[in-house]
Amino acid sequence: MKKLFILFIMSLLCMTGEVQAQIRGKNITITVTPDHKDWTYKVGEKIEYTVCVLKSGTLLDNAEISYEMGPEMYPDTKKEMTLKSGTTKISAKMQKPGFHKLLVKATVAGKQYKEWCSVAVSPEKIQPQAQCPKDFDEFWKKAIEQARWTALESHLEFLPERSTPEVNTYHVSFQNDCWGRRVYGILNVPTKAGKYPAILKVPGAGVRPYGGDEGLCKKGVVVLEIGIHGIPVIKEQAYYDNLFSAALKDYWFNGSNNRDRSYYKHVVTGCIRAIDFLESTPSLNLSSAWDGKNLGVCGSSQGGFLTIATTALDNRVTCYAPVHAAMCDHEAALKGIACGWPHTFYQQKSPDMKEVECMRYYDGVNFARRITVPGWYSFGYNDNVVPPTTMYATYNVAGGEKTFSPYYQTAHFWYEEQYAEWFDFLLSKLKK
């Protein structure tokens, strides 16, 4: 009977997924580390990387590797070698400010592994290549004015299943820049009546549902998290996957040769209209509302760009925090320098000049120059999607009080500590 009972329990555990083999990590790993703890060098200074190929955490003898290195996105050195003891040192120099990258690949038992490391070279001297149109301010002023010709016509749907005794959650929508084109999002408000600081969360690239931020709201802020595609944000993931593979595939290139037809024109105005919506919350019969005085904006990747753009265009924003902001310094690629996502002109020998001119209106650099409020910037030196060269170039010209918090080893993701620091900054500014 005892054996039968044990078998019965084991079968139940298996059925519920409690007893399953989990696949985690790799037995073969590569490490690439610089000899400066701050991952930062000066122009002309020797950079020395230590490369290790490991099996089960120990050096792998006679490891076959290939590597390429040079300014990020533009490697100028490629070699192959055998590491008899599983490790070696590789040296380099850069004669211009920027980021130097070493990419190492190892083939073991027919399978390829890779790792990389990017280090800063006189990063405080990196300057953007983006040109700014003379009518940049006029263009965006007119775009926002025209968007506001359309009434908000806000709609709120209470979501009891996402609400708690401390936080009320709503699926909201409001009109953007023309009749019928709506912005959808999730609104979290404290259940305790009152007026609170607010945070607008703008999204990274892609098509997905959103859940708001109950935890952030519990800290005493109204939180509005928006989508950008004019579709509800509470459907099943499959709905968004289908759109992303068809109607919204590569949407970031839509209209990229015409400033008035660019996909991002209504995306940016939608962010401004989101603040208009927040400003209207005192009249929407909610338990609590934005105080109209303290507003932070934050986002990562595409959302980092939208954070910078929204802050530059709307003086109601009092602080902002972009993480690895995309869409910065597009034109750098035309001069053989790392460019921002989506790398529109990368390796283009004869770019469409209409596209070049259009993208100047949608370059984070040109928005950053116009910012006057406190900002917190963070990004990783190993980011292959948003090159740190573009981030430093943007940070160096951004106006207003600013703080830089690097997380050297991260790529296009963040660490727990970085995520916590992100919102600690905003809360510290909003609750002074």
Coordinates of all heavy atoms in Angstrom, one line a residue, residues 91-121:
S91 N 44.6 42.3 -27.3 CA 44.7 43.7 -27.1 C 44.3 44.5 -28.3 O 44.3 44.0 -29.5 CB 46.2 44.0 -26.8 OG 46.6 43.4 -25.6
A92 N 43.9 45.8 -28.1 CA 43.5 46.7 -29.1 C 43.6 48.1 -28.7 O 43.9 48.4 -27.5 CB 42.0 46.4 -29.5
K93 N 43.4 49.0 -29.6 CA 43.4 50.5 -29.3 C 42.3 51.1 -30.3 O 42.0 50.6 -31.3 CB 44.7 51.1 -29.6 CG 45.8 50.8 -28.6 CD 47.1 51.5 -28.9 CE 48.2 51.2 -27.9 NZ 49.4 51.9 -28.1
M94 N 41.8 52.3 -29.8 CA 40.9 53.1 -30.7 C 41.5 54.5 -30.7 O 41.8 55.0 -29.6 CB 39.5 53.0 -30.2 CG 38.7 51.9 -30.9 SD 36.9 51.9 -30.5 CE 36.4 53.5 -31.0
Q95 N 41.5 55.1 -31.9 CA 42.0 56.4 -32.0 C 40.9 57.5 -32.0 O 41.2 58.7 -32.2 CB 42.9 56.5 -33.3 CG 44.1 55.6 -33.3 CD 45.0 55.7 -32.1 OE1 45.2 56.8 -31.5 NE2 45.5 54.6 -31.6
K96 N 39.7 57.1 -31.9 CA 38.6 58.1 -31.9 C 37.6 57.7 -30.7 O 37.5 56.5 -30.4 CB 37.8 58.0 -33.2 CG 38.6 58.6 -34.4 CD 37.7 58.5 -35.6 CE 38.5 59.1 -36.8 NZ 37.6 59.0 -38.1
P97 N 36.9 58.6 -30.2 CA 35.9 58.3 -29.1 C 34.8 57.4 -29.7 O 34.4 57.5 -30.9 CB 35.3 59.7 -28.8 CG 36.3 60.7 -29.2 CD 37.0 60.1 -30.4
G98 N 34.4 56.4 -28.9 CA 33.4 55.5 -29.3 C 33.4 54.3 -28.5 O 33.8 54.3 -27.3
F99 N 32.9 53.2 -29.0 CA 32.9 51.9 -28.3 C 33.6 50.9 -29.1 O 33.4 50.7 -30.3 CB 31.5 51.4 -28.0 CG 30.9 52.0 -26.7 CD1 30.5 53.3 -26.7 CD2 30.9 51.2 -25.5 CE1 30.0 53.8 -25.5 CE2 30.4 51.8 -24.4 CZ 29.9 53.1 -24.3
H100 N 34.5 50.1 -28.5 CA 35.3 49.1 -29.1 C 34.6 47.7 -28.7 O 34.3 47.5 -27.5 CB 36.7 49.1 -28.7 CG 37.6 48.1 -29.4 ND1 37.7 46.8 -29.0 CD2 38.3 48.2 -30.6 CE1 38.5 46.2 -29.8 NE2 38.9 47.0 -30.8
K101 N 34.4 46.9 -29.7 CA 33.8 45.6 -29.4 C 34.6 44.4 -29.9 O 35.2 44.4 -31.0 CB 32.4 45.5 -30.1 CG 31.7 44.2 -30.0 CD 30.3 44.3 -30.7 CE 29.6 43.0 -30.6 NZ 28.3 43.0 -31.3
L102 N 34.7 43.4 -29.0 CA 35.4 42.1 -29.3 C 34.3 41.0 -29.3 O 33.7 40.8 -28.2 CB 36.5 41.8 -28.3 CG 37.1 40.4 -28.4 CD1 37.8 40.2 -29.8 CD2 38.1 40.2 -27.3
L103 N 34.1 40.3 -30.4 CA 33.2 39.2 -30.5 C 34.0 37.9 -30.7 O 34.8 37.8 -31.6 CB 32.2 39.4 -31.7 CG 31.4 38.2 -32.1 CD1 30.4 37.9 -31.0 CD2 30.6 38.5 -33.4
V104 N 33.8 37.0 -29.8 CA 34.5 35.7 -29.8 C 33.5 34.6 -30.1 O 32.5 34.5 -29.5 CB 35.2 35.5 -28.5 CG1 36.0 34.1 -28.6 CG2 36.2 36.6 -28.2
K105 N 33.9 33.7 -31.0 CA 33.1 32.5 -31.3 C 34.0 31.2 -31.1 O 35.2 31.2 -31.5 CB 32.6 32.5 -32.7 CG 31.7 33.7 -33.0 CD 31.2 33.7 -34.5 CE 30.4 34.9 -34.8 NZ 29.9 34.9 -36.3
A106 N 33.4 30.2 -30.5 CA 34.1 28.9 -30.3 C 33.3 27.8 -30.8 O 32.0 27.8 -30.6 CB 34.5 28.7 -28.9
T107 N 33.9 26.9 -31.5 CA 33.1 25.7 -32.0 C 33.6 24.5 -31.2 O 34.8 24.1 -31.2 CB 33.3 25.5 -33.5 OG1 32.9 26.6 -34.2 CG2 32.5 24.3 -34.0
V108 N 32.7 23.8 -30.5 CA 33.0 22.6 -29.7 C 32.0 21.5 -30.1 O 30.8 21.7 -30.0 CB 32.9 23.0 -28.2 CG1 33.2 21.7 -27.4 CG2 33.8 24.1 -27.8
A109 N 32.5 20.4 -30.5 CA 31.7 19.3 -30.9 C 30.7 19.6 -32.0 O 29.5 19.2 -31.9 CB 31.0 18.6 -29.7
G110 N 31.1 20.5 -32.9 CA 30.2 20.9 -34.0 C 29.2 22.0 -33.7 O 28.5 22.4 -34.6
K111 N 29.2 22.4 -32.5 CA 28.2 23.5 -32.1 C 29.0 24.8 -31.8 O 30.0 24.8 -31.2 CB 27.4 23.1 -30.8 CG 26.3 24.0 -30.5 CD 25.5 23.5 -29.3 CE 24.4 24.5 -29.0 NZ 23.5 24.0 -27.9
Q112 N 28.4 25.9 -32.3 CA 29.1 27.2 -32.1 C 28.5 27.9 -30.9 O 27.3 28.0 -30.6 CB 28.9 28.1 -33.3 CG 29.7 29.3 -33.3 CD 29.5 30.2 -34.6 OE1 28.6 31.0 -34.7 NE2 30.5 30.0 -35.5
Y113 N 29.4 28.5 -30.2 CA 29.1 29.4 -29.0 C 29.7 30.8 -29.2 O 30.8 30.9 -29.9 CB 29.7 28.8 -27.7 CG 29.2 27.4 -27.5 CD1 29.8 26.3 -28.1 CD2 28.1 27.1 -26.6 CE1 29.3 25.0 -27.8 CE2 27.6 25.9 -26.4 CZ 28.2 24.8 -27.0 OH 27.8 23.5 -26.8
K114 N 29.1 31.8 -28.7 CA 29.7 33.1 -28.8 C 29.5 34.0 -27.6 O 28.5 33.8 -26.9 CB 29.2 33.8 -30.1 CG 27.7 34.1 -30.1 CD 27.3 34.7 -31.4 CE 25.8 35.1 -31.4 NZ 25.4 35.7 -32.7
E115 N 30.4 35.0 -27.5 CA 30.2 36.0 -26.4 C 31.0 37.2 -26.9 O 31.8 37.2 -27.7 CB 30.8 35.4 -25.1 CG 30.6 36.3 -23.9 CD 29.1 36.6 -23.7 OE1 28.4 35.7 -23.2 OE2 28.7 37.7 -24.0
W116 N 30.6 38.4 -26.3 CA 31.3 39.6 -26.7 C 31.4 40.5 -25.5 O 30.8 40.4 -24.5 CB 30.5 40.3 -27.8 CG 29.1 40.7 -27.5 CD1 28.6 41.8 -26.9 CD2 27.9 39.8 -27.6 NE1 27.3 41.8 -26.7 CE2 26.8 40.6 -27.1 CE3 27.7 38.5 -28.0 CZ2 25.5 40.1 -27.1 CZ3 26.4 38.0 -28.0 CH2 25.3 38.8 -27.5
C117 N 32.2 41.6 -25.8 CA 32.4 42.6 -24.8 C 32.6 43.9 -25.5 O 33.4 44.0 -26.5 CB 33.6 42.3 -23.9 SG 33.9 43.5 -22.6
S118 N 32.0 45.0 -25.1 CA 32.2 46.3 -25.7 C 32.6 47.3 -24.6 O 32.0 47.3 -23.5 CB 30.9 46.8 -26.3 OG 30.4 46.0 -27.4
V119 N 33.6 48.0 -24.9 CA 34.1 49.0 -23.9 C 34.1 50.4 -24.4 O 34.1 50.6 -25.6 CB 35.6 48.6 -23.4 CG1 35.6 47.2 -22.8 CG2 36.5 48.7 -24.6
A120 N 34.0 51.4 -23.5 CA 33.9 52.8 -23.9 C 35.3 53.4 -24.0 O 36.2 53.1 -23.3 CB 33.1 53.5 -22.8
V121 N 35.4 54.2 -25.1 CA 36.7 54.9 -25.3 C 36.4 56.4 -25.3 O 35.7 56.9 -26.2 CB 37.3 54.5 -26.6 CG1 38.6 55.2 -26.9 CG2 37.6 52.9 -26.6

